[in-house]
Amino acid sequence: MNQEAQVQVMGLWGSPFSKRVEMVLKLKGTPYEYIEEDVYVQKSPMLLKLNPIHKKVPVLVHQGKSIAESLVIVEYIEDTWKTSYPILPRDPYERSMARFWAKYVDDKVMLTLWKACWGPESEREKMVEEAYEDLKYLEEELGDKQFFGGETIGFVDIAADFIAYWFGIAQEASGVMIMTAEKFPKLQRWSQNFVGNNIIKEVLPPKEKLMALFKAQFGNNASN
């Protein structure tokens, strides 16, 4: 059976995790059917069947088999469509380092940035300081490269899509300015390169829609 047959992505329009999957499929030129899943309103029977453990998106369905968790899905796509637009290095050490930084972004940086904008007022100052520290390591790792993956978008860039796009809008909506051009010029340059990529542009959710969502979120947490 053709590897590209029956590729479906169950996702949520504003989720950076869902968009990771679409970004990689687009970069590799792999056709897919997108299924919007509004997990905040009602989780569909299809989602509950395909991802019964976490009950969340994204979920990739390929030839009738389902895979959950965004970075696991991204690696599955990489292993399945190896010849088109590789996003992980071939060298074992470089490959392990890409996984390390992607995990750092997922487990540490995103949570800190989220809390810096959405967290309780009493903890926000501490979270902002921690966010500066977390981003400093990424700034150093990026160095003078165009992307974390070198000259082309790679695994770490995809993992850090929230930092490149979503976080800038969150800062604007909340007034909490952390990743500025003055403090993080390399990350700002990388962000512009990433968001400016024509294929990535196709996948990104509308800024105005995200802004409205974030402002509603900040409003809900204003009394925390």
Side-chain angles (χ1 to χ4, degrees):
M1 186 181 291
N2 189 322
Q3 282 187 326
E4 295 183 354
Q6 300 176 351
V7 178
Q8 296 174 308
V9 177
M10 300 184 71
L12 182 65
W13 71 268
S15 167
F17 301 103
S18 294
K19 294 304 179 183
R20 287 173 176 175
V21 176
E22 290 192 80
M23 286 172 184
V24 175
L25 288 170
K26 290 276 189 182
L27 287 168
K28 287 183 174 289
T30 303
Y32 64 94
E33 175 192 1
Y34 177 75
I35 302 170
E36 177 72 9
E37 180 75 27
D38 195 339
V39 294
Y40 298 111
V41 175
Q42 185 175 1
K43 296 175 182 180
S44 71
M46 181 179 178
L47 176 63
L48 296 176
K49 178 183 177 182
L50 296 178
N51 190 7
I53 295 176
H54 296 298
K55 302 177 178 64
K56 63 182 182 181
V57 293
V59 175
L60 180 81
V61 184
H62 182 218
Q63 297 180 353
K65 297 177 181 179
S66 60
I67 304 99
E69 296 298 300
S70 63
L71 292 183
V72 175
I73 296 171
V74 167
E75 288 216 45
Y76 174 85
I77 295 169
E78 172 74 348
D79 291 339
T80 304
W81 291 276
K82 293 180 180 179
T83 57
S84 58
Y85 202 100
I87 60 165
L88 273 164
R90 296 186 65 181
D91 178 80
Y93 176 77
E94 292 181 4
R95 199 175 181 96
S96 67
M97 287 298 96
R99 290 189 175 112
F100 170 85
W101 287 109
K103 187 170 176 60
Y104 173 69
V105 168
D106 252 16
D107 294 352
K108 184 81 166 67
V109 184
M110 285 185 66
L111 183 61
T112 303
L113 296 180
W114 194 265
K115 287 182 177 179
C117 289
W118 276 272
E121 191 67 38
S122 59
E123 299 178 10
R124 202 163 294 169
E125 185 176 347
K126 178 185 175 183
M127 288 297 103
V128 168
E129 291 177 4
E130 194 171 325
Y132 279 123
E133 187 74 13
D134 290 352
L135 290 174
K136 185 176 72 174
Y137 286 115
L138 286 178
E139 178 92 351
E140 292 170 357
E141 172 61 21
L142 179 62
D144 294 325
K145 301 191 294 283
Q146 185 175 3
F147 299 104
F148 286 98
E151 295 300 312
T152 57
I153 292 170
F155 190 66
V156 181
D157 304 290
I158 296 295
D161 66 344
F162 172 82
I163 302 171
Y165 184 66
W166 280 257
F167 186 56
I169 300 171
Q171 289 185 125
E172 189 177 337
S174 67
V176 179
M177 302 306 295
I178 298 171
M179 200 177 86
T180 63
E182 291 73 26
K183 291 186 179 295
F184 298 102
K186 294 174 181 178
L187 283 174
Q188 280 290 348
R189 184 196 69 232
W190 160 79
S191 174
Q192 292 169 3
N193 290 336
F194 184 81
V195 172
N197 179 277
N198 288 333
I199 294 175
I200 299 299
K201 277 182 186 177
E202 292 181 27
V203 179
L204 294 174
K207 178 181 177 179
E208 297 76 14
K209 195 174 178 181
L210 270 182
M211 181 72 75
L213 177 66
F214 287 161
K215 284 184 175 179
Q217 182 70 48
F218 290 130
N220 291 337
N221 288 285
S223 59
N224 288 350

